[in-house]
Amino acid sequence: MKRIKYLVATAIWSLLLMGCSNSNDVVPDSPPTELYTDAQQKLQSGNFQGAITQLEALDSRYPFSAYSSQVQFDLIYAYYKSANLSMALVSIDRFMRLNPTHPNIDYMLYLRGLTDMALDDSALQGLFGIDRSDRDPIYALAAFRDFTQLIENYPNSQYATDSQKRLLYLKNRLAKHELDIARYYTKRGAHVAVVNRIEQMMQNYPDTQATRDALPLMKNAYERLQLNEQADQVAKLIAANPVGGE
């Protein structure tokens, strides 16, 4: 049922985006300066679909103009703002491949992280009441890599502070996903798998609430496996890290 609701939501969102774009738009054969000025006006007014039409025409007609890098830069922003997230990711990767030494490459990493987060946590999921904690975290993992790369390679970037905050959110989101898996294994009686999963949580997300909440599952798994010494050790961890605590 959740899968059906998600597919319906995606279809509705695609239709909304199509409705915002006029397929009959014709970009005049104007000089690049005029096309770029018009695109900038559309960007500033929030007409992102119109800006995309102008910028795509400019990019295809004048690929080696003085505006080339900035056109790609603006296109990525317009794709992101219009929720055309797949095109945003493709364009970001293209930009970074063609401009590896661009002075604003940190912004590209930041925007790629934002785009991956948006793909992981779309507004439509909330609208249709879809719980995403048990869904494949592929985009959350990608966003985690993006922000980590930004912080490691550009620690003085103006986007580093916000990236740190987003990494904290993503760490908790990924830990919750692991907790859901551990609970599933518990229900199936796969006690060895429970222990292995929670050991990974303790290694990768030791300071998250989800990892603390997973400890009783680990203790139970050790008890079922008759590994009482290990169960006692986990019990001490639980005492020091109360479930549901801060």
Side-chain angles (χ1 to χ4, degrees), residues 2 39 50-51 81 93 122 130 139 141 188 211 216 241 243:
K2 287 184 178 181
K81 294 296 289 185
D93 289 340
S122 75
I130 300 173
Y139 290 114
L141 287 166
R188 295 291 300 270
T211 298
N241 300 275
V243 176

Side-chain angles (χ1 to χ4, degrees), residues 10-196:
T10 303
I12 292 173
W13 186 251
S14 298
L15 289 172
L16 288 173
L17 289 179
M18 291 173 62
C20 294
S21 178
N22 185 352
S23 60
N24 296 320
D25 284 348
V26 176
V27 179
D29 189 14
S30 304
T33 301
E34 292 183 16
L35 289 176
Y36 186 71
T37 299
D38 189 23
Q40 285 297 304
Q41 291 175 348
K42 287 180 168 60
L43 278 177
Q44 293 170 14
S45 67
N47 181 6
F48 299 113
Q49 290 296 329
I52 287 171
T53 300
Q54 296 286 122
L55 292 167
E56 286 180 339
L58 186 54
D59 189 40
S60 63
R61 294 176 188 176
Y62 307 99
F64 305 109
S65 72
Y67 298 101
S68 180
S69 292
Q70 190 59 45
V71 166
Q72 295 174 35
F73 210 81
D74 292 340
L75 253 178
I76 290 166
Y77 177 75
Y79 286 142
Y80 173 73
K81 294 296 289 185
S82 64
N84 194 340
L85 303 177
S86 59
M87 279 302 298
L89 282 181
V90 169
S91 300
I92 288 170
D93 289 340
R94 175 195 178 206
F95 184 91
M96 294 179 68
R97 184 175 64 254
L98 296 177
N99 306 277
T101 61
H102 193 280
N104 299 120
I105 206 72
D106 61 328
Y107 177 68
M108 285 292 101
L109 280 170
Y110 179 69
L111 196 55
R112 189 167 70 181
L114 293 181
T115 303
D116 280 322
M117 282 190 72
L119 285 164
D120 180 64
D121 190 20
S122 75
L124 286 175
Q125 290 177 29
L127 177 64
F128 283 80
I130 300 173
D131 179 9
R132 64 172 180 74
S133 65
D134 61 348
R135 296 178 62 246
D136 190 340
I138 180 173
Y139 290 114
L141 287 166
F144 194 91
R145 289 192 296 268
D146 296 332
F147 293 126
T148 298
Q149 185 179 352
L150 189 156
I151 292 169
E152 290 179 350
N153 294 343
Y154 306 95
N156 298 321
S157 168
Q158 61 179 308
Y159 309 106
T161 299
D162 188 65
S163 295
Q164 285 280 13
K165 295 177 182 177
R166 293 179 183 277
L167 280 176
L168 179 61
Y169 167 84
L170 288 165
K171 185 188 295 186
N172 283 291
R173 183 264 191 263
L174 293 168
K176 288 179 181 178
H177 176 74
E178 294 299 308
L179 176 58
D180 283 336
I181 295 175
R183 285 171 172 160
Y184 170 78
Y185 285 149
T186 298
K187 292 178 181 178
R188 295 291 300 270
H191 305 304
V192 173
V194 172
V195 170
N196 291 338

